[in-house]
Amino acid sequence: MTPLTHPQFWRHQDLPFVEIRQVLDGRNVCYSPHSHKEWSIGAIVEGKSDFLCEGRQNQVSRGDLVLMNPDAVHACNPQQGSPWAYYMMHLDTPWLASQLHHAKLLPSNEWHPTQLDVLRDSRLYTEFVRLCEGFFAGKHGTEEMQHQLETYLVAIFSRLQEHQPNTSMPLARNRLYDVADYLDQHCFEDTPIEQISAQFSYSSGYLVRAFKRHFNLTPHAYRLNRRVQLGQVAIKQGETIADVAQALGFSDQAHFQRTFKQRVAATPHQYRQK
């Protein structure tokens, strides 16, 4: 039986804080740099890949777990000639932080970024793959699935604590976050970069360079990425693709489809299926 060449998605209305992607044959998958609002963990189940995360280049292969913080810009594409299959799980960050705080793995409900891009632990890898397979197979009810998920998260974050920094000194907020906040709030608009730069007292050239150096995306790419994130939410809520494209400020549905696929490696229609 030939593996499916497009991603499959698992979602459940009673577990809205988790989404899983399964790719069985991703040799032709190609991601543009992008980010998610959720904390993400993935397992490479076949092949080798170049994994870029926050400007750090990693080589990953079968048996590796990859980890991405919320808003961490990344891209993971198969090496030429290599098979490519993986699971990817996205977890709502406030829900996850609350669970970890309850398990006494976080001092509060405030999220603390994880420090690793790649984790090589055969036990945690095997358990994660088994967890994803079970969700897709629908072997258990939602209460049992949530229990299994919570148990696994306690296990992996207990392991990740070994790599957390000991300092709790707060970092000064970079002024570029004010620009990012503006782009988040006005992502539907195509405000010229010159106007945004002037609003925050930057030259256009400096803002583009500094923003990309800090966020690993240009302001324009950051704005498009945010539109796609909001598009994913709207599609999951059942809105039509045409309505989503118009609401997000795309010139037409074809433009939305191209931009979406570049960052999700699935068309809006494929993303809707589960």
Side-chain angles (χ1 to χ4, degrees), residues 245-259:
Q246 183 176 22
L248 293 177
F250 286 94
S251 56
D252 52 45
Q253 189 171 330
H255 183 204
F256 170 58
Q257 300 233 29
R258 287 194 304 273
T259 304

Side-chain angles (χ1 to χ4, degrees), residues 60-188:
V60 293
S61 58
R62 181 175 182 175
D64 290 342
L65 291 170
V66 296
L67 313 170
M68 287 152 283
N69 282 298
D71 298 319
V73 175
H74 61 279
C76 198
N77 295 303
Q79 294 182 359
Q80 186 173 6
S82 173
W84 184 232
Y86 63 92
Y87 284 104
M88 182 62 64
M89 179 182 289
H90 305 292
L91 293 154
D92 179 74
T93 309
W95 176 86
L96 177 57
S98 176
Q99 297 300 311
L100 297 176
H101 175 55
H102 181 73
K104 299 183 172 17
L105 292 170
L106 282 182
S108 69
N109 286 333
E110 182 180 353
W111 174 253
H112 286 218
T114 49
Q115 300 300 306
L116 293 181
D117 299 332
V118 181
L119 177 64
R120 296 182 170 98
D121 184 304
S122 59
R123 178 182 64 86
L124 290 171
Y125 170 84
T126 300
E127 290 178 0
F128 179 75
V129 172
R130 187 180 297 123
L131 181 70
C132 292
E133 289 174 342
F135 275 42
F136 270 95
K139 295 180 179 178
H140 304 287
T142 54
E143 289 187 8
E144 176 60 22
M145 286 192 288
Q146 181 166 345
H147 172 71
Q148 291 178 356
L149 176 61
E150 292 172 353
T151 299
Y152 180 79
L153 291 172
V154 168
I156 192 168
F157 274 87
S158 297
R159 173 77 165 80
L160 291 174
Q161 275 199 334
E162 301 170 15
H163 302 275
Q164 293 298 100
N166 295 321
T167 179
S168 59
M169 185 71 69
L171 298 176
R173 177 180 167 91
N174 190 308
R175 286 182 56 226
L176 291 170
Y177 282 102
D178 295 333
V179 180
D181 289 345
Y182 175 87
L183 292 171
D184 282 335
Q185 295 167 19
H186 300 272
C187 65
F188 303 146

Side-chain angles (χ1 to χ4, degrees), residues 6 70 94 102 104 116 195 226 230 241 267:
H6 57 81
H102 181 73
K104 299 183 172 17
L116 293 181
Q195 184 175 330
R226 182 62 177 139
L230 294 172
I241 295 170
T267 66

